[in-house]
Amino acid sequence: MTQSLEHVYKKLEAMQVDLEDLRNTYKGVSKRYMVALTSLNTLTIHSSDAAKRAAKSTEQSRVAAMNAMIAAREASGNPALLMVVESAVTASVAAALAAVESAAAAAAAAAAASAAVAHQAEESLLKASNEAAVASRMAAEAAAEAVKLSNQAREIVDGIHKKS
């Protein structure tokens, strides 16, 4: 009987050691999980911020393309200002290209935010990802408008060249 109790105590002692090992492992995993979650949260917030900034940049490029197109249209009535018109068209094209690049950056940032959310669906991450997606959509719309304005400016120059 004493021998079997001794055997039970040894088993209990081994189980206690195993349980302590499991606790320590859990603590380590939990700590690493919290670090990863914090990093993921930070990445999502930064991605969302980058998408919003890219959308603002795209909007500014759209405004630049619009102003360049207006300058080309206003100067198109005077053949002596052909160089001004062509410079305005060049500026409009550059603004449209900048808008497209900014829109692509916004889309990439929104994708990064969405990927982060896919790994850890937390309310703050979902909100940041949604904001990034909205910013990306706005950037794409502004880029499309900038390209349209650039094309209008190009048509003005083409019309001047046909008259000449």
Side-chain angles (χ1 to χ4, degrees):
M1 179 80 171
T2 316
Q3 223 174 16
S4 64
L5 270 174
E6 201 173 293
H7 181 67
V8 169
Y9 285 135
K10 282 183 182 180
K11 285 276 191 191
L12 281 173
E13 194 175 302
M15 289 174 67
Q16 191 172 6
V17 168
D18 287 346
L19 184 60
E20 193 60 35
D21 284 346
L22 283 173
R23 280 188 186 132
N24 289 335
T25 301
Y26 172 77
K27 286 178 186 177
V29 168
S30 180
K31 190 175 187 179
R32 285 191 301 274
Y33 174 76
M34 290 307 293
V35 168
L37 186 58
T38 300
S39 296
L40 194 58
N41 195 359
T42 301
L43 168 70
T44 305
I45 299 302
H46 287 311
S47 296
S48 179
D49 187 48
K52 290 180 212 171
R53 288 173 183 261
K56 285 179 185 176
S57 176
T58 305
E59 177 59 22
Q60 292 301 315
S61 296
R62 185 198 65 78
V63 169
M66 180 180 64
N67 288 334
M69 188 278 298
I70 290 170
R73 186 177 59 214
E74 295 298 317
S76 68
N78 186 344
L81 297 177
L82 182 60
M83 291 300 288
V84 171
V85 174
E86 287 182 354
S87 292
V89 169
T90 301
S92 179
V93 169
L97 288 173
V100 169
E101 289 297 322
S102 293
S114 294
V117 168
H119 291 290
Q120 184 62 42
E122 188 175 298
E123 190 173 336
S124 65
L125 299 181
L126 290 170
K127 182 179 180 222
S129 178
N130 186 51
E131 289 173 356
V134 168
S136 179
R137 181 187 50 77
M138 291 170 54
E141 290 171 359
E145 180 69 15
V147 170
K148 179 179 147 193
L149 292 165
S150 174
N151 287 336
Q152 288 175 357
R154 173 57 60 200
E155 289 171 5
I156 290 169
V157 168
D158 290 345
I160 292 172
H161 284 297
K162 284 182 184 175
K163 288 180 186 175
S164 299

